[in-house]
Amino acid sequence: MHFAHNKEISPYVPIHTLLGNHEVSAMFGVAGLGGEKEIGYYRDFFILDEEEILYKPELYPEAKFRTENFYAKQIGNILYLGFDTEFNNTVDTQYEWMQRIMEAANNAPTVDWILSGGHRPYGAEQYPTDINLFIRDRAVPYLAQFDKYVMHIGAHHHLYSRGQLKDRPVYHIISGGTAWNQYWGDSKEEDMPDIQKTLTEWAYQIVDIDVNKGTFNVESYSIGTVNGYYEQDKLIDTFHRYKNKNKPEQPTLTLDNTKDLPIDASVNFIPGSNTNETLNSTEFVISKTEDFARIEKQIYRDFENWFGRVDRKDITVNQNENVDIKELKLRSEEKTDEYTLSNGTYYIKARTRDKNLEWSDWSEIKTFTITNSTPATPELSTDKIYYQLHDDQIITNFSNSSINPYAWVGIYTPSQKPGSAGSSNYSWAWDYTNGIENGSISFKNLGTASGNIKYAFTPGIYYAYLSKNGSYSYIAHSPSFYVGPIIKLITNKLEYNTGEEMILQYNNAPVLESDVKGYISVYKKGKVTPIKIENIGQQQNNTITINGLEKGYYYAETYIEVVTPSAWSIEKGITSKMQIGNIVNFKVGQGIITELFLDKGQGTKDNPSIYKLNETITPNWENAPGIIKDWIGIYKEGYTPDQSTNPNSGYCYTYFNGLSKGSIAIPSKNLPKEPGNYYMSIFTNDTYKEVSNRVHFTVVDCSPKANVSDTATEICAGEDATFEIIGTASSVVTYEINGDTSSTTLNSEGKATITINNATTSQVITLINIRIPLLECENALPEKTTITILPKITPVFEQIPAACKGTDFSLPTTSTNGITGTWSPLPDNTKTTEYTFTPDETCAKTVTMTVMANEKVTPAFEQIPAVCKGTDFSLPTTSKNGITGTWSPQFDNTKTTEYIFTPDETCAKTVTMR
């Protein structure tokens, strides 16, 4: 596909190809479950010379990596970094490589603009989890530190999307210009604040960079969708980034009033002026602290927000079409709006962003009081849930706390109950709030201190506790968080034979206290109970082996758990168990291991399951790969998956949320639309790679139909009368012939033949009804047809008399009883012949006539001797050889005369006598 679709431009335009899930799935069908050999097809065609990994390698001497998985190219003053988003075991290498590239590129005068790309995107509003976390959490945030960096290009999703980082002038897009449709309603969806538009269209971009002017312009064009509308080269988006332009001026913030603000009040601001740029975004921030350490509401909006459907699933609606983003309305609690505030005093500020992605300075801070909403609820939280041991500060944020100066925040483990007797219940760290209602306290997790302030945290699970008045009187607690190193899991292989020993290695494990245990759990996908649990113990690095795994897809992850949580912690719902570190996936069993079956049986090709047209079909499966974009495809028999665009293939698809085991009722819109023979299979990760067996089924119209026809409306008596019934395949038709009732089963082509042998009377067939066994489908069929029997007629001719050879004769073409026809062979006067008469009429019989052709005979006589004149004589009237006849002229005894003998027989010759 890649080569075929690009053949018109590839000889002239450079194409940079990045590794994606289709290349990864080419060998085994599951991303990340086949190692480097999975991308053998990719490597066969895409080869990057070591010396040419960068256009200007002299600038990046430390960045040469021998791989086609990720690479960088500099063309002119533009640097492009292409990432591998498919193999997670390369992310650390890629990060180090990226750092080396950027350290050199940032200071290089020959680099003005930097772009990056990767198959899986930075973010997505459809299938929001199907992105690459390395790109989102590490690569793009690092690149965004550099002013030369302007855009990240993603793909994978079959649509167009564009957003921008909130605090840096960097765009990120999805340029999904290929494959099948991806519409609203087909997946889980999430309206993300850093994505301005998602359009369910296939798109491509033209990027225009003017290095001298410092301008970066992008135009996005749509080529429509397959099943929706089609508009060739329609402009659907433009955006830009211009260097050395002024940012917007500071906006002016106004409130209805500043004290006892009523519900349903509004906050407005007047944007500052800006040259040649219009408003793109605004942000309001509301806090209960003047330093905004504790944020209550953070409202970030773009002037447009294209998300979700209206009527058609391929048309996106602008959610902000009638929204003034310069205005913020504060709602009452009853209206369940995101901008609702409880009672209390608040601080607010705002800023604006133009279409050049430049933010203004924050407005002046305003304050207001809410008095007629609901009472404020005390809250306590931490800024993260994972902290590196001895490196990260633990920041706790509290709001609506006690105004008593001796209110305090402490850090505990789930095994502890604050205030209980004994040193085992001392806090690990604590500090006063100093009577501040809303604020934060930062705890170091290193060093030691006297008393019960330990600060020297050991690896484990903790929570923060807020108390009032210098006592242990409870106000609030935070969710649990982990302090310690992050474990890394590695498998020696990603695919194992059934019964093969599986080796799992872990590194960087924490050394735990006695009341905390760490363990690795191995799950078979689709199961909630681990099939194997291995304790980590006190070893930071170790290898464990697992035997006896049955075929299936698996994953392993690490947990830390407090052995004996306190009853108080359990009562408060404080988590005592947390997952830490990476998750590794692997497969057991070679080839296809996913089992697919239908709710009406296995469904083989020879014995397919039977469904009515529009009847719900529910497939069940086990041992699926468990990837969010696994899908079930339905095709007509005889079509292969790569023919999905063929309108006759019956192709339709259904996602099933990546479940490894389960069932799903195929939505009515995805059911076959016409009767026929079909098959179903599971395909993985948005590819055409089949990972399950095929199940076969037949769809029949439950309004079965049939009609009857005759092969001839009239036949002659004694011939076979034949009727043909054509209708719904495999159905049973009941019929009646001349009062006798019978039935027949139509074959797989929907046909049956009924024959009455040697019919002598007219035949009438009437169809009574048609039914489909097992489906309780039946229809009346008041159809009938008649075959008329015609009698046989014999042509009558007068016999042609015998003739002499050589005598011409003719045979009549019409019999004496009026039947026309032809004789064969042609008349022959040289021999006796039998001739056959073939009638023109269907039911006239053929007859024969023999015509005699006789040889000519010479009569033999004895010569009469001479006589005297006057003497009487006579001539014999019968020859010696028996031929009779007469002589002429009359006898004359007065002179010598020649007499002629004329035979009575036709074929006797005349003779003379003198």
Side-chain angles (χ1 to χ4, degrees):
M1 290 178 62
H2 181 97
F3 297 126
H5 288 287
N6 286 292
K7 65 182 180 181
E8 300 299 329
I9 63 171
S10 57
Y12 314 106
V13 179
I15 298 173
H16 298 291
T17 302
L18 292 174
L19 187 67
N21 60 293
H22 287 252
E23 287 73 40
V24 169
S25 301
M27 294 290 284
F28 296 102
V30 183
L33 290 185
E36 287 293 303
K37 69 177 181 177
E38 282 187 324
I39 57 172
Y41 299 147
Y42 175 78
R43 292 195 182 282
D44 286 344
F45 295 102
F46 298 99
I47 301 170
L48 197 63
D49 295 337
E50 180 187 353
E51 294 78 11
E52 296 182 0
I53 290 182
L54 290 167
Y55 180 72
K56 297 184 177 182
E58 67 275 7
L59 294 178
Y60 316 98
E62 301 300 324
K64 288 187 177 181
F65 283 75
R66 297 183 181 182
T67 177
E68 284 78 22
N69 294 33
F70 56 93
Y71 57 86
K73 285 280 190 180
Q74 183 177 338
I75 301 175
N77 285 35
I78 302 167
L79 175 64
Y80 175 79
L81 285 77
F83 290 98
D84 169 13
T85 62
E86 303 308 302
F87 290 99
N88 291 330
N89 59 350
T90 68
V91 295
D92 291 337
T93 302
Q94 290 190 77
Y95 192 83
E96 179 186 354
W97 165 78
M98 174 182 61
Q99 287 179 307
R100 294 178 184 178
I101 292 281
M102 293 304 296
E103 287 169 3
N106 189 48
N107 298 316
T110 58
V111 177
D112 292 301
W113 298 91
I114 300 173
L115 294 82
S116 62
H119 181 75
R120 294 179 193 265
Y122 172 88
E125 293 185 314
Q126 293 185 19
Y127 297 100
T129 60
D130 196 7
I131 62 174
N132 184 267
L133 294 179
F134 167 70
I135 294 294
R136 186 173 184 88
D137 297 339
R138 298 181 67 185
V140 169
Y142 175 81
L143 293 168
Q145 301 175 82
F146 300 92
D147 292 338
K148 297 179 180 181
Y149 183 60
V150 65
M151 183 168 69
H152 179 78
I153 304 167
H156 189 58
H157 297 266
H158 312 156
L159 45 71
Y160 173 72
S161 174
R162 191 257 294 176
Q164 44 273 335
L165 302 191
K166 179 182 173 185
D167 293 314
R168 291 293 298 165
V170 173
Y171 293 102
H172 57 89
I173 70 171
I174 296 176
S175 179
T178 185
W180 56 71
N181 298 316
Q182 187 172 319
Y183 291 141
W184 297 110
D186 289 347
S187 69
K188 180 181 179 182
E189 296 160 5
E190 181 178 347
D191 189 359
M192 295 187 170
D194 60 354
I195 296 179
Q196 188 164 320
K197 61 176 61 179
T198 295
L199 306 177
T200 59
E201 301 178 42
W202 297 349
Y204 65 91
Q205 290 73 46
I206 296 176
V207 180
D208 183 5
I209 300 176
D210 191 322
V211 174
N212 294 326
K213 294 182 180 179
T215 59
F216 173 88
N217 288 283
V218 180
E219 294 179 337
S220 287
Y221 292 89
S222 167
I223 60 172
T225 57
V226 170
N227 297 323
Y229 67 97
Y230 185 90
E231 294 186 76
Q232 183 70 41
D233 301 326
K234 172 191 172 186
L235 183 64
I236 57 173
D237 192 22
T238 62
F239 56 96
H240 65 270
R241 173 69 180 147
Y242 300 154
K243 294 183 177 181
N244 303 317
K245 290 201 69 172
N246 293 331
K247 66 183 181 181
E249 294 182 358
Q250 182 186 38
T252 301
L253 188 64
T254 62
L255 285 75
D256 286 353
N257 56 59
T258 58
K259 186 173 178 62
D260 299 332
L261 194 67
I263 57 178
D264 293 331
S266 62
V267 182
N268 296 268
F269 67 78
I270 302 172
S273 63
N274 192 9
T275 304
N276 299 326
E277 290 291 345
T278 55
L279 181 67
N280 191 79
S281 313
T282 61
E283 183 178 20
F284 291 87
V285 180
I286 301 174
S287 173
K288 283 198 170 183
T289 61
E290 192 171 4
D291 62 358
F292 289 84
R294 170 78 180 190
I295 303 298
E296 294 296 321
K297 300 290 181 183
Q298 193 165 11
I299 300 97
Y300 170 54
R301 296 176 293 179
D302 299 319
F303 81 97
E304 59 179 355
N305 178 24
W306 294 90
F307 174 86
R309 64 183 290 181
V310 192
D311 298 319
R312 284 172 45 175
K313 63 182 180 179
D314 59 346
I315 300 295
T316 306
V317 62
N318 180 7
Q319 303 286 345
N320 286 355
E321 183 175 6
N322 298 313
V323 175
D324 183 357
I325 62 172
K326 302 188 300 297
E327 180 181 48
L328 178 66
K329 292 185 179 295
L330 302 176
R331 306 294 189 184
S332 63
E333 192 72 33
E334 292 78 12
K335 290 188 177 179
T336 62
D337 191 276
E338 61 179 324
Y339 309 144
T340 298
L341 294 171
S342 57
N343 291 334
T345 299
Y346 296 90
Y347 300 86
I348 185 170
K349 61 182 179 179
R351 59 176 178 166
T352 67
R353 191 183 205 183
D354 62 26
K355 290 185 179 179
N356 197 38
L357 300 190
E358 292 287 351
W359 280 109
S360 70
D361 292 333
W362 288 102
S363 68
E364 292 184 358
I365 298 172
K366 300 285 187 176
T367 184
F368 61 91
T369 302
I370 297 289
T371 59
N372 52 357
S373 185
T374 58
T377 301
E379 294 182 0
L380 181 63
S381 63
T382 57
D383 63 327
K384 297 193 297 186
I385 61 172
Y386 294 104
Y387 294 93
Q388 291 290 329
L389 190 65
H390 305 315
D391 292 332
D392 296 335
Q393 292 197 49
I394 300 170
I395 299 175
T396 59
N397 300 302
F398 55 89
S399 62
N400 307 313
S401 179
S402 170
I403 60 175
N404 189 290
Y406 296 106
W408 56 279
V409 174
I411 306 296
Y412 293 87
T413 69
S415 62
Q416 298 176 296
K417 177 185 179 182
S420 294
S423 59
S424 63
N425 285 299
Y426 288 171
S427 67
W428 290 78
W430 68 270
D431 203 352
Y432 290 116
T433 65
N434 297 320
I436 299 173
E437 283 186 275
N438 309 286
S440 62
I441 296 175
S442 179
F443 296 98
K444 298 179 180 179
N445 63 15
L446 53 89
T448 58
S450 60
N452 63 344
I453 306 176
K454 297 182 179 180
Y455 284 125
F457 293 100
T458 59
I461 299 173
Y462 298 85
Y463 67 92
Y465 178 89
L466 177 61
S467 184
K468 62 183 178 181
N469 303 334
S471 67
Y472 286 97
S473 298
Y474 172 80
I475 297 179
H477 70 273
S478 74
S480 297
F481 58 89
Y482 169 75
V483 178
I486 301 299
I487 295 176
K488 185 171 184 179
L489 294 177
I490 304 171
T491 58
N492 66 318
K493 294 170 62 177
L494 293 173
E495 182 171 332
Y496 299 87
N497 294 326
T498 304
E500 182 180 359
E501 181 179 74
M502 183 262 183
I503 299 176
L504 183 64
Q505 177 182 338
Y506 64 85
N507 299 320
N508 201 37
V511 177
L512 302 170
E513 298 290 321
S514 59
D515 63 335
V516 182
K517 69 175 182 179
Y519 54 89
I520 297 171
S521 293
V522 178
Y523 292 85
K524 186 176 183 181
K525 290 189 176 182
K527 303 287 187 181
V528 296
T529 303
I531 61 171
K532 184 72 174 179
I533 297 177
E534 290 283 346
N535 289 324
I536 293 175
Q538 298 297 308
Q539 294 180 296
Q540 292 182 282
N541 305 291
N542 196 12
T543 297
I544 59 177
T545 59
I546 302 174
N547 292 291
L549 295 178
E550 60 183 20
K551 69 178 181 180
Y553 293 92
Y554 294 82
Y555 67 94
E557 57 186 355
T558 307
Y559 287 93
I560 299 296
E561 184 174 16
V562 174
V563 177
T564 309
S566 68
W568 184 87
S569 295
I570 295 173
E571 178 189 346
K572 294 296 184 182
I574 295 173
T575 299
S576 59
K577 176 182 176 181
M578 293 182 67
Q579 188 267 325
I580 61 172
N582 64 309
I583 297 174
V584 293
N585 296 280
F586 59 95
K587 174 188 174 187
V588 176
Q590 290 185 321
I592 289 179
I593 64 172
T594 302
E595 301 169 46
L596 180 65
F597 49 96
L598 296 170
D599 54 324
K600 291 191 176 182
Q602 183 61 43
T604 64
K605 195 165 187 177
D606 294 332
N607 187 23
S609 301
I610 306 294
Y611 292 91
K612 305 173 188 177
L613 188 65
N614 299 320
E615 181 183 0
T616 299
I617 302 174
T618 304
N620 300 263
W621 64 90
E622 295 181 357
N623 291 330
I627 297 173
I628 189 64
K629 285 196 173 180
D630 290 347
W631 56 283
I632 294 172
I634 294 175
Y635 290 87
K636 283 184 178 179
E637 293 286 2
Y639 287 86
T640 55
D642 58 2
Q643 293 177 311
S644 63
T645 56
N646 188 316
N648 298 317
S649 69
Y651 160 71
C652 57
Y653 63 91
T654 301
Y655 291 107
F656 52 90
N657 294 321
L659 295 176
S660 290
K661 179 181 180 180
S663 64
I664 187 171
I666 300 296
S668 58
K669 64 179 181 178
N670 294 339
L671 291 171
K673 300 300 185 291
E674 60 184 34
N677 297 316
Y678 296 83
Y679 70 89
M680 178 187 298
S681 188
I682 291 180
F683 302 80
T684 191
N685 203 20
D686 255 2
T687 70
Y688 291 113
K689 179 67 177 180
E690 291 183 67
V691 294
S692 77
N693 58 294
R694 289 183 179 183
V695 290
H696 303 264
F697 60 97
T698 297
V699 174
V700 296
D701 188 347
C702 205
S703 299
K705 302 175 179 63
N707 57 71
V708 62
S709 63
D710 41 42
T711 57
T713 58
E714 295 179 334
I715 63 172
C716 302
E719 294 181 349
D720 294 342
T722 302
F723 299 97
E724 185 174 54
I725 301 174
I726 300 176
T728 304
S730 304
S731 57
V732 176
V733 175
T734 301
Y735 61 91
E736 181 182 273
I737 295 181
N738 296 340
D740 294 330
T741 302
S742 187
S743 64
T744 186
T745 300
L746 304 188
N747 62 20
S748 60
E749 296 179 353
K751 295 181 180 181
T753 300
I754 309 298
T755 301
I756 299 94
N757 296 319
N758 300 317
T760 57
T761 60
S762 295
Q763 304 293 311
V764 179
I765 183 170
T766 303
L767 301 187
I768 299 173
N769 64 22
I770 182 171
R771 60 186 176 85
I772 302 175
L774 305 178
L775 292 183
E776 300 178 358
C777 300
E778 187 168 347
N779 265 351
L781 297 171
E783 282 206 21
K784 72 177 182 179
T785 190
T786 301
I787 297 178
T788 302
I789 306 299
L790 301 176
K792 290 278 191 176
I793 303 173
T794 303
V796 177
F797 294 94
E798 290 184 1
Q799 176 65 43
I800 301 298
C804 300
K805 288 184 179 179
T807 302
D808 290 335
F809 66 92
S810 63
L811 296 170
T813 57
T814 301
S815 69
T816 57
N817 54 350
I819 298 171
T820 61
T822 58
W823 292 92
S824 63
L826 294 175
D828 185 353
N829 61 7
T830 64
K831 60 181 179 180
T832 298
T833 304
E834 183 180 70
Y835 296 93
T836 299
F837 180 77
T838 302
D840 293 332
E841 295 185 21
T842 304
C843 291
K845 298 179 180 179
T846 59
V847 294
T848 62
M849 181 186 295
T850 300
V851 177
M852 303 293 293
N854 297 326
E855 294 286 344
K856 286 195 174 184
V857 181
T858 302
F861 294 95
E862 289 185 4
Q863 178 64 40
I864 299 297
V867 294
C868 294
K869 287 182 179 180
T871 303
D872 291 333
F873 67 90
S874 64
L875 295 174
T877 58
T878 300
S879 69
K880 292 175 61 177
N881 50 353
I883 298 172
T884 63
T886 59
W887 294 89
S888 64
Q890 290 184 352
F891 301 130
D892 185 357
N893 60 5
T894 64
K895 61 180 179 181
T896 300
T897 305
E898 184 178 70
Y899 296 94
I900 301 171
F901 179 78
T902 303
D904 292 333
E905 294 184 18
T906 303
C907 294
K909 296 179 181 179
T910 62
V911 293
T912 62
M913 183 181 295
R914 191 178 181 84

